[in-house]
Amino acid sequence: VQLQASGGGSVQAGGSLRLSCAASGRTYAMGWFRQAPGKEREFVAAISWRGGVTKYADSVKGRLAISRDNAKNTVYLQMNSLKPEDTAVYFCAARTTTVVSTTLSRYNYWGQGTLVTVSS
């Protein structure tokens, strides 16, 4: 499975962006992670195969929302009320099981990343 992330860009604090992750084939549980300069990659959000279960990092709860359209093999990350600390490269990832996970090492496939820059 190949994953293609898109939708990153530069916005001012308080702005919004929507990231997309298109998969080349069927995927199961999916997630978004991010990596800021000089920091380790961290969990952002995850969604189960049918979309009924979602998980979020505490730092993004209430501002970011993950969703998916299985007919299009695409997962989305709606990002609202963005803050400068959200600046990072965002990666989508896929598991080969239906179980949601917040653990980076449990994901089997990774996209190339898309850069989000939030200015104050």
Side-chain angles (χ1 to χ4, degrees):
V1 174
Q2 293 184 330
L3 304 176
Q4 181 71 41
S6 62
S10 296
V11 296
Q12 290 190 328
S16 298
L17 283 173
R18 188 175 82 154
L19 306 183
S20 299
C21 176
S24 62
R26 184 177 184 178
T27 57
Y28 295 94
M30 299 282 292
W32 285 96
F33 292 77
R34 67 186 181 187
Q35 187 165 16
K39 295 188 177 181
E40 294 185 350
R41 195 170 299 188
E42 65 177 6
F43 168 76
V44 175
I47 189 167
S48 61
W49 178 41
R50 296 186 184 274
V53 178
T54 57
K55 293 188 177 182
Y56 296 93
D58 288 343
S59 60
V60 306
K61 282 181 181 176
R63 300 187 300 115
L64 275 58
I66 189 170
S67 61
R68 66 189 300 161
D69 184 341
N70 287 344
K72 298 181 178 179
N73 288 332
T74 301
V75 173
Y76 305 97
L77 186 67
Q78 179 65 44
M79 308 171 70
N80 299 324
S81 301
L82 283 164
K83 304 176 180 180
E85 51 263 44
D86 294 318
T87 295
V89 176
Y90 284 71
F91 299 88
C92 61
R95 301 196 70 198
T96 54
T97 74
T98 61
V99 179
V100 176
S101 177
T102 63
T103 304
L104 185 151
S105 61
R106 293 183 176 176
Y107 284 79
N108 307 96
Y109 302 99
W110 290 85
Q112 84 290 357
T114 184
L115 177 63
V116 171
T117 303
V118 184
S119 58
S120 58

